[in-house]
Amino acid sequence: MKKLSENGRLFICSSCRKIHLEFGNLAMDFHSETKLKELLNFLNTVRANHFENEVLSNNSRRQILVPFTNSSIKLLLSDEEINELTNLIRAFMKDPVNPANTKTEARFTNLEKLSALSRIILN
C-alpha cells in the first residue's frame, strides 16, 4: 500500500514493516501509526501558529520551521509543502486497505514477543 503526492510518498515496507515517509529530500521511518499521527498533529500545530512566530524579515520561500526534538535538524517548509505533506499523511491513514489501520502496533508487539522467544530458544 502506497500513497503518493507530487513531492512525496508514504508506504509500509514489506520487509521491515515500518512506515516510510519520503518527502522532498527528507526520509523518516515510523514504527507505528501512532507516531505518524503525532507528526501530523505537530505539523498542524506548527502551521496554525506559524504566522505568530514568523520572522518578518524572512523572505525565503520556506517560512515554516519544524524543529526536531533533541536534534539540531530543522525542516523548512512552505505553506504549499506543509499542506501537501499533511494531506499525504491523512490520505495514508484514512485508506481502508492500509495495514497500519488494522492493528499495526499489535503486529509490532507480536514481533517483539517472537523476537524475545527466539532469543530464549536460541540461547
Side-chain angles (χ1 to χ4, degrees):
M1 205 294 298
K2 182 177 4 181
K3 288 293 176 185
L4 300 170
S5 70
E6 182 179 338
N7 295 302
R9 66 184 186 147
L10 192 53
F11 62 97
I12 297 177
C13 176
S14 59
S15 298
C16 69
R17 305 304 303 161
K18 291 179 186 173
I19 300 170
H20 292 294
L21 168 64
E22 298 171 2
F23 191 79
N25 58 0
L26 171 73
M28 299 175 81
D29 296 333
F30 299 89
H31 293 285
S32 70
E33 187 177 357
T34 302
K35 294 297 181 185
L36 187 61
K37 284 181 186 177
E38 287 175 13
L39 174 64
L40 179 62
N41 290 337
F42 181 72
L43 291 172
N44 285 330
T45 302
V46 168
R47 181 177 45 199
N49 295 324
H50 118 268
F51 287 107
E52 292 177 17
N53 302 321
E54 183 179 349
V55 178
L56 296 177
S57 62
N58 183 354
N59 291 325
S60 77
R61 181 174 74 88
R62 294 182 170 107
Q63 297 180 343
I64 301 172
L65 179 70
V66 182
F68 289 90
T69 308
N70 300 323
S71 173
S72 61
I73 298 172
K74 295 170 182 69
L75 176 63
L76 291 172
L77 298 170
S78 67
D79 285 329
E80 295 81 20
E81 289 167 329
I82 204 163
N83 286 333
E84 180 183 345
L85 181 55
T86 55
N87 288 336
L88 177 65
I89 295 170
R90 280 191 199 106
F92 178 83
M93 292 189 326
K94 287 181 183 177
D95 193 329
V97 180
N98 179 358
N101 289 334
T102 56
K103 302 178 186 173
T104 300
E105 292 186 39
R107 254 184 292 156
F108 287 117
T109 303
N110 291 338
L111 287 175
E112 289 171 6
K113 288 177 184 175
L114 182 60
S115 177
L117 180 62
S118 68
R119 282 194 303 270
I120 292 168
I121 293 170
L122 295 174
N123 288 333

